[in-house]
Amino acid sequence: MQELGLISIVVVIALGIFSQWFAWRIQWPSIVIMSIAGLLIGPIFGFINPEQALGDLYSPIISLAVAVILFEGSTTLDIREVKGISKSVFRVVTFGAFLAWVGGSLAAHFIAGLSLEIAFIIGGLFVVTGPTVIIPLLRQSKLKPRTAAVLKWEGIIVDPAGPLLALFAYEVIKVITDDTLHASALGSFFLASFLAIIIGYLFGFLLSFMASKGMFPEYLKSPITLSLVFICFALSEVIMHETGMLAVTVMGLTLARTKKYVSSLGNISHFIENISVLLTSTIFILLTASLTRETIGEVFTLPILGFVLVMLFIVRPLSIWISTIGTELTVAEKTLIGWIAPRGIVALTVSGYFASTLLNDGYGGASILTALTFALVFITVCAHGFTLGPLAKKLKLASSEPPGILIVGASSFSIAFAEAMKELGNPVLISDSSSGRLFQIEQKGIATYRGEILDEHSQFEMDITPYEKILAMTEDATYNALVAQSYIPEFGYNNTFTIPSERSGNRDESQIPTSVKAHLLFGKEHVFKELNRKINTNYSIQTMKVVEKMEKKEHVPVDGIPLCIRKKNGTIEFVTLRKMPTMDKDDQLVFLAKNN
């Protein structure tokens, strides 16, 4: 039995991460791949059943994973993200959620055939959208910051609110239908919710205080954070089931408010984010692999499919359009937000709890809750996952241009390089703290950002959505390295580059670590001063169309310094100290050469 549980855990973890990687390779929504993978190994082929294999540990593992995921999502929230759209966000997470609750409940009653009591319980749960689904979709679709902020805040704030609404409806129904209970039962619910908020705030404040005072070493910060999240969640769950989600969300929000005062908390955020990705992959496989064939069969019944369609095309759009009347959102933004509402892990896990609770209370109709929830989750994940990107481009709420480049440092060479990239059709943004240096760039029609890019507020003032790669091109090598290191989480390890500031002298190239070579642009002799000297004398950046495939630097048919390759699909591949990108026919070679 132990061996079966071990094998199940290993298979689920490996398959979850592989699904994430495979989705990245084929540019599909990762949740779709994970759902399909879980169904294949579980109900379809019957290789494993994680719920049976893990036994009593199944529910606690999922609950703790959801706690970490919600905590991670809430720590990424910053009030500056909703600058100018706070009214819209507030309306969506309050009035919009209420309308979705009522609309979803009526749809569950009149279309899915649930009793009114069960319908209002499950309708409260279905207001959730969830960071486990929304955030990966936002990463892939490259939405503009304003629209992305509304969807992100809604997903994280409403995620714990959904289970609380369902729990509130359940408590109300118990008071109404059970003569032995009275209004004090509702008082217990509100008291438990209030205590969960207090517990979450205290744990968040405690962690922030301890980190600011240096009360634990750096290597223990992440483990201590994770432990406090678990304790916070468990303590609230002991008081009342389903309030733990509220507690860890409040804990994360408290921590998010203090991160700007405690700089070391940024490292904790990166660790929790990595754990969250692992847990999201694992839990989605666990849940879908544990479904039965009977549950899958129930999904394709007319009442359930009709319910899902009403939720997609009537309830969600109406709740958004009505709740955002008179707000800052444009028609295009309301249309996109009114369509996007994929459900995720929280809906699946909590619906299972209410299904078993209601069945024990004698509500026979609750037997279809699992199938109903899975149908809503799977169909919304597929429908919204595949349509978010195309719809956003159609509504002009996402970048439709080729991948762009963010250049840090305004110099003669970086300006000339930016001009060349702009002429090729790739968007370029140059960041510098000097207004004087940026003035001449703006005259050339190149986008600029004046300010210190390492300041935390820069990420809220500067829209980096259109830019895929970042080049640190100042004369300070230490500063360049710091910029590259700071922006790896946003751009990825393979998309951050620096330029050498001085010659390496007699140092053998083989002594330079391979990992460093991959980030050093052009070559060890093509340093900042040399490149700027050439641009300021008789050199210019030129382009040439490739007429045949070339794989080695020695084969480049130009008398100059190769800088990068613009591929046929618009992407840019840079020449680094480590390698020369392969040039295919019809690619464009960008190089620095002497003028004729």
Side-chain angles (χ1 to χ4, degrees), residues 389-406:
L391 182 60
K393 289 181 180 178
K394 185 75 175 177
L395 297 173
K396 297 182 180 179
L397 295 175
S399 176
S400 58
E401 297 179 303
I405 301 168
L406 170 58

Side-chain angles (χ1 to χ4, degrees), residues 504-569:
S504 57
N506 297 325
R507 186 183 180 188
D508 188 0
E509 185 176 315
S510 62
Q511 296 178 340
I512 302 176
T514 302
S515 59
V516 174
K517 289 182 183 180
H519 297 276
L520 283 177
L521 290 170
F522 316 139
K524 64 176 183 177
E525 300 302 319
H526 307 136
V527 297
F528 178 86
K529 291 182 179 179
E530 182 67 16
L531 292 171
N532 280 279
R533 184 191 65 78
K534 289 180 181 292
I535 284 291
N536 291 329
T537 53
N538 196 32
Y539 283 74
S540 64
I541 295 179
Q542 305 170 27
T543 60
M544 181 196 75
K545 191 172 184 178
V546 179
V547 295
E548 61 179 349
K549 184 173 182 178
M550 290 175 280
E551 297 185 358
K552 295 184 179 180
K553 194 171 183 178
E554 293 76 17
H555 297 166
V556 177
V558 294
D559 184 16
I561 303 171
L563 304 177
C564 64
I565 310 296
R566 188 184 191 271
K567 309 298 288 185
K568 288 178 285 188
N569 61 2

Side-chain angles (χ1 to χ4, degrees), residues 335-336 339-340 386-397:
T335 302
L336 183 66
W339 169 243
I340 301 301
F386 285 113
T387 59
L388 176 57
L391 182 60
K393 289 181 180 178
K394 185 75 175 177
L395 297 173
K396 297 182 180 179
L397 295 175

